[in-house]
Amino acid sequence: MLRKELNIFTFRDLLEHFPLRHIDKTQVNLINEINPETEFIQVAGTLVDSTIIGEKRGKRLVARIRDKSGILELTWFQGITWVQKSLLPGKDYLIYGRCGFFNGRPQMTHPEMELLASVKSAGKNFLEPIYPSTEKLKARSLNGRQLGTLTSVLLPQVAERDIPENLPAPLLQQLKMPSRYRAYCDIHFPKSPQDYQAAVRRLKFEELFIAQIRLALIKLQRHRYSRGVVFEKVGDIFTHFYNHVLPFQLTGAQKRVLKEIRQDTARGKQMNRLVQGDVGSGKTIVALLTMLLAADNGYQSCLMAPTEILSQQHYQGLTALLKDLPVTMRLLTGSTKAAERRKVLAGLADGSIQMVVGTHAVIEESVQFQNLGLAIVDEQHRFGVAQRAKLWQKATIPPHVLVMTATPIPRTLAMTAYGDLDYSVMDELPPGRQPITTVHRNEMQRAGVMDFIRTEIAKGRQAYIIYPLIEESEKLSYEDLMQGYEQVKSFFPEPKYYISMVHGRQPPEQKEANMQRFVTGDTHIMVSTTVIEVGVNVPNASVMVIESTEKFGLSQLHQLRGRVGRGSEKSFCILLTGERVSKDARERIKIMCATNDGFKIAEKDLELRGPGDIEGTRQSGMLNFKLASLINDKAILESAKKYAQLLLEQDPDMTSADNLPLKSHLLAKEGKTSWSKIS
Ligand SMILES: Nc1ncnc2c1ncn2[C@@H]1O[C@H](COP(=O)(O)OP(=O)(O)OP(=O)(O)O)[C@@H](O)[C@H]1O
């Protein structure tokens, strides 16, 4: 039962099934004293009766408890039959749980219940642990409190040597943390709230510290043992481009990142850098300058984008900038025609093509480079780690890898999910950009929104109207899009207005042609699904209308909004919804209207959804912590990172006596025998 319900297989699993909270058993609330401010309550009373009421989805079990001051209703929606069987009317119970109010009366849903007699006879600690449990287990006398009985029997059998220390003693002393054994005892059965806090802090630190050590180690091993091609000079191509072609001054952030890349690529080790830049922060030019650096040093480079459209756009933009330079760039995607493909492959193999832009077609087996020195992945979270790894195998000395992402990730998440990469942030927008004004409008205000688009078009601007199409195959949203398109056409009739439409069901050439008409300004409005979400650059577009905003997540909304405000004109984002909007969607809209800062939005996204759902981090097992939270434990994480780095700086092989226990713990955890195998 424990296995099935809680994944508890061993004694260790039980020890690591940590309590949710502790309750002070001496504190009992009287029913008539409960008020809406009381969150958790503990009541002692007699079970009056229990009845199953309602039908189908409304079916529930309601029981009544009486103490000397009044009656309290308890409700269950799940495990109804199990629970009713276990309840004994006329007996005294101790009841614990979160209290709500319904029709002015206190009510508890799915409370913890225990016979008062058994609580008294057990004579437990006064700070009693409450464990996560399930309705099935509760009905089998293994509720959140009773699980504690199992642990209280187990823990005294466990000796200090069974839970050996894994952190270095000097570190524990410095941070005034309890031993690992003490922490395990105190997290279950603390003598005081302070002991409990100290235990939790120690165990959270341990989790985060070990994760940070592991990440730092991977990075360290790469810096130590990897070989990388050397870009030793800034040559004529780069210099000419920088002085004569580059159409603007680089921002401070662009210069800083370029400098970091210069350092990485000059030291004979493989670069593995993640550049995280907010939408429109100018990552493409940094990519191009790095490719020029590779060319100056006689190396080929490739730039991979997540979609055909983006590859084509990058290719067109970059070749226009390169036209007077002695380098050849080609495009290679899934839809490259066979004859052209053969030419590109031959050119890459004999070195006559120095740069290739494309989709993941670039990393297929058949693509051989003469001397690939740099691979840039414009990731936007669509390329998996496995694909990146594939790139590295293409050359005897692996190429430098630069991953660029336009989805800002909160610092805590980045430190954990990308801690093994070198990491730069581009948090500065090019000068002259005006903040985008974002507003929320509902269906009733649609005509006003269309009028607004007309006034912007009259000023020479262009507009996007975006529909949610979660899956391109989804019939319903496809029909929505088509209906929307007809509606937009009726508001904006030809020949005064022209509209482009782009969606995933179109053949690539048609998609590209429609896109191109919008890019060149031949059409005024782009009606599209989220295929334009990432990377499209039309600086003249000043209005972004998002239909059914409630269906989009925050980071997606931010990406979409980032398609406007890319020139010097004032831009607007209009978030359209139906009249009724869920609380969550309202919260997202509020954040979007309040800020344009992708990093702030990412923080909020993390708070609202938790780390497991944040885009790009899903595959990362690194984020599954038992106790630590990347939202609430920022300070512990920062300190774990600091001490992990310090430790490896002082003792990179962990050979000192103090660090040996940690080393063996890590190796055991990884199932490895030697240090160099951790990767
Ligand atoms: N330093 C700069 N000064 C002025 N304009 C710049 C600068 N850097 C880039 N730009 C321009 O800003 C626009 C956005 O740049 P780019 O497309 O590289 O952004 P990005 O970071 O890739 O954004 P996204 O991820 O949203 O596509 C482009 O039109 C580019 O030419």
Side-chain angles (χ1 to χ4, degrees):
M1 193 70 138
L2 275 178
R3 287 181 196 184
K4 225 163 127 193
E5 295 287 306
L6 293 174
N7 267 336
I8 295 178
F9 288 85
T10 61
F11 288 140
R12 175 163 289 282
D13 293 338
L14 185 62
L15 272 189
E16 291 188 353
H17 188 62
F18 297 129
L20 288 171
R21 56 186 163 268
H22 289 80
I23 50 171
D24 187 340
K25 258 181 42 191
T26 54
Q27 302 288 321
V28 174
N29 305 82
L30 281 177
I31 293 173
N32 71 351
E33 283 172 4
I34 302 169
N35 62 53
E37 263 89 69
T38 340
E39 205 188 353
F40 287 101
I41 56 163
Q42 180 163 246
V43 167
T46 314
L47 181 71
V48 182
D49 52 19
S50 70
T51 331
I52 294 178
I53 57 173
E55 279 187 51
K56 291 193 180 142
R57 293 183 66 193
K59 195 167 162 185
R60 60 197 184 277
L61 171 68
V62 178
R64 292 187 303 159
I65 285 284
R66 183 202 301 279
D67 73 0
K68 62 180 183 212
S69 73
I71 294 245
L72 173 68
E73 248 181 32
L74 314 174
T75 312
W76 288 263
F77 296 98
Q78 279 151 21
I80 292 176
T81 333
W82 287 98
V83 178
Q84 195 180 32
K85 265 194 224 155
S86 69
L87 292 180
L88 304 171
K91 295 280 185 197
D92 290 337
Y93 282 90
L94 192 63
I95 296 130
Y96 177 81
R98 200 187 283 273
C99 188
F101 269 73
F102 188 68
N103 285 340
R105 285 205 307 268
Q107 199 185 58
M108 284 168 93
T109 309
H110 290 248
E112 301 280 350
M113 291 182 71
E114 223 178 337
L115 284 169
L116 200 57
S118 69
V119 177
K120 283 190 177 145
S121 67
K124 293 173 188 164
N125 269 11
F126 80 98
L127 275 179
E128 195 191 334
I130 302 288
Y131 293 85
S133 184
T134 65
E135 287 314 316
K136 255 196 185 157
L137 286 176
K138 282 183 193 175
R140 292 278 180 93
S141 294
L142 270 179
N143 68 21
R145 294 184 112 142
Q146 289 149 340
L147 276 170
T149 316
L150 291 186
T151 313
S152 70
V153 173
L154 172 64
L155 206 55
Q157 319 287 324
V158 176
E160 190 141 8
R161 65 169 187 283
D162 298 322
I163 308 182
E165 187 50 75
N166 54 10
L167 297 184
L171 182 63
L172 284 181
Q173 269 158 21
Q174 191 178 354
L175 297 176
K176 299 194 175 57
M177 284 185 178
S179 73
R180 193 156 175 247
Y181 172 72
R182 188 73 265 140
Y184 267 86
C185 296
D186 287 354
I187 195 168
H188 291 286
F189 300 105
K191 298 218 168 36
S192 68
Q194 291 75 12
D195 285 354
Y196 174 72
Q197 294 306 340
V200 170
R201 197 165 160 269
R202 139 88 214 206
L203 293 174
K204 283 181 173 177
F205 180 85
E206 177 185 319
E207 268 186 315
L208 295 169
F209 181 74
I210 286 173
Q212 288 300 317
I213 286 270
R214 193 182 170 279
L215 290 165
L217 244 148
I218 296 173
K219 195 152 123 181
L220 185 83
Q221 306 286 44
R222 200 179 52 243
H223 286 184
R224 272 169 139 190
Y225 300 117
S226 83
R227 288 196 304 150
V229 294
V230 182
F231 297 172
E232 59 188 350
K233 62 173 187 213
V234 174
D236 292 344
I237 307 177
F238 185 103
T239 312
H240 178 81
F241 181 86
Y242 197 86
N243 292 335
H244 303 292
V245 185
L246 188 65
F248 38 68
Q249 283 269 322
L250 292 185
T251 64
Q254 285 170 323
K255 283 187 190 154
R256 192 182 64 234
V257 174
L258 211 58
K259 201 167 152 198
E260 287 165 345
I261 294 171
R262 279 274 294 131
Q263 284 165 354
D264 289 351
T265 51
R267 59 170 186 228
K269 308 287 178 193
Q270 187 198 18
M271 168 173 77
N272 220 313
R273 183 165 287 278
L274 174 75
V275 176
Q276 201 193 123
D278 205 347
V279 280
S281 58
K283 293 181 287 294
T284 318
I285 210 72
V286 173
L288 179 62
L289 285 163
T290 313
M291 291 171 99
L292 296 179
L293 194 63
D296 262 339
N297 288 278
Y299 287 99
Q300 291 170 299
S301 53
C302 69
L303 169 62
M304 299 201 304
T307 62
E308 290 255 352
I309 291 190
L310 278 174
S311 312
Q312 272 159 7
Q313 185 187 286
H314 275 320
Y315 176 68
Q316 277 154 8
L318 298 179
T319 41
L321 288 169
L322 291 176
K323 66 180 186 313
D324 295 328
L325 291 169
V327 285
T328 311
M329 177 182 271
R330 286 283 178 270
L331 179 70
L332 186 64
T333 70
S335 57
T336 304
K337 297 274 177 329
E340 171 66 6
R341 187 180 157 81
R342 267 197 302 278
K343 273 195 221 158
V344 175
L345 294 191
L348 289 172
D350 68 20
S352 56
I353 296 176
Q354 291 84 36
M355 300 174 177
V356 61
V357 175
T359 51
H360 55 268
V362 172
I363 47 170
E364 279 164 15
E365 290 305 321
S366 55
V367 186
Q368 297 298 331
F369 290 84
Q370 190 200 40
N371 61 348
L372 182 65
L374 168 71
I376 302 180
V377 190
D378 184 1
E379 184 178 61
Q380 328 270 3
H381 290 324
R382 304 248 162 137
F383 277 106
V385 177
Q387 272 161 318
R388 267 193 251 153
K390 204 164 169 188
L391 263 177
W392 305 343
Q393 292 157 11
K394 285 213 161 263
T396 30
I397 300 186
H400 296 301
V401 178
L402 188 64
V403 180
M404 305 196 134
T405 155
T407 309
I409 304 168
R411 190 176 146 73
T412 52
L413 214 57
M415 273 162 69
T416 327
Y418 296 125
D420 55 334
L421 300 180
D422 295 300
Y423 171 69
S424 325
V425 173
M426 286 197 4
D427 48 3
E428 187 182 343
L429 294 184
R433 299 270 175 84
Q434 298 189 45
I436 304 164
T437 299
T438 303
V439 294
H440 175 205
R441 296 285 180 266
N442 68 32
E443 198 46 50
M444 306 292 286
Q445 298 159 305
R446 179 176 291 274
V449 172
M450 297 300 144
D451 283 344
F452 179 72
I453 297 179
R454 269 191 210 104
T455 56
E456 283 293 299
I457 294 177
K459 288 190 216 156
R461 309 277 109 76
Q462 291 162 282
Y464 292 100
I465 304 181
I466 306 297
Y467 288 81
L469 201 57
I470 315 307
E471 291 288 333
E472 295 294 355
S473 58
E474 221 178 81
K475 192 159 165 272
L476 211 66
S477 33
Y478 180 70
E479 282 168 7
D480 277 357
L481 173 78
M482 290 305 163
Q483 258 178 22
Y485 176 59
E486 291 305 322
Q487 194 187 29
V488 176
K489 263 198 345 203
S490 68
F491 275 107
F492 297 92
E494 284 183 14
K496 190 164 181 202
Y497 300 101
Y498 289 97
I499 305 171
S500 280
M501 179 163 69
V502 172
H503 59 78
R505 287 192 182 183
Q506 288 164 332
E509 310 85 66
Q510 194 184 344
K511 228 191 282 185
E512 172 57 16
N514 289 344
M515 191 71 223
Q516 208 46 39
R517 287 171 66 220
F518 188 68
V519 173
T520 49
D522 293 339
T523 53
H524 304 98
I525 299 176
M526 157 78 82
V527 172
S528 166
T529 61
T530 47
V531 287
I532 66 131
E533 181 188 336
V534 281
V536 178
N537 189 36
V538 182
N540 188 48
S542 66
V543 187
M544 164 64 61
V545 177
I546 302 179
E547 295 275 352
S548 305
T549 300
E550 61 272 31
K551 295 195 180 150
F552 292 96
L554 262 179
S555 74
Q556 219 179 0
L557 288 173
H558 180 63
Q559 281 297 319
L560 287 170
R561 175 172 62 182
R563 297 311 104 208
V564 295
R566 299 174 80 84
S568 51
E569 300 307 330
K570 171 83 191 153
S571 293
F572 304 86
C573 175
I574 302 169
L575 305 174
L576 270 175
T577 63
E579 278 183 69
R580 290 171 72 90
V581 183
S582 74
K583 191 165 159 264
D584 282 0
R586 259 206 318 273
E587 185 67 25
R588 292 198 292 274
I589 291 169
K590 200 168 119 198
I591 296 163
M592 286 296 293
C593 295
T595 180
N596 277 305
D597 181 333
F599 287 90
K600 278 196 192 137
I601 291 174
E603 288 281 342
K604 283 283 176 194
D605 206 16
L606 178 64
E607 274 170 36
L608 290 178
R609 297 199 293 164
D613 279 339
I614 301 293
E615 265 176 83
T617 59
R618 269 173 218 132
Q619 326 98 311
S620 177
M622 295 305 303
L623 303 176
N624 299 332
F625 296 113
K626 253 186 142 57
L627 280 172
S629 139
L630 295 180
I631 303 165
N632 303 321
D633 299 320
K634 282 185 202 165
I636 304 182
L637 175 59
E638 295 281 352
S639 126
K641 185 181 164 91
K642 180 176 120 190
Y643 287 106
Q645 275 173 345
L646 210 65
L647 186 143
L648 286 178
E649 266 165 37
Q650 289 165 353
D651 184 13
D653 293 309
M654 292 199 206
T655 42
S656 80
D658 284 331
N659 294 334
L660 278 179
L662 177 62
K663 182 172 181 170
S664 18
H665 178 86
L666 266 166
L667 288 174
K669 214 171 149 149
E670 298 278 325
K672 301 274 164 68
T673 47
S674 120
W675 225 208
S676 58
K677 294 201 171 92
I678 293 193
S679 64

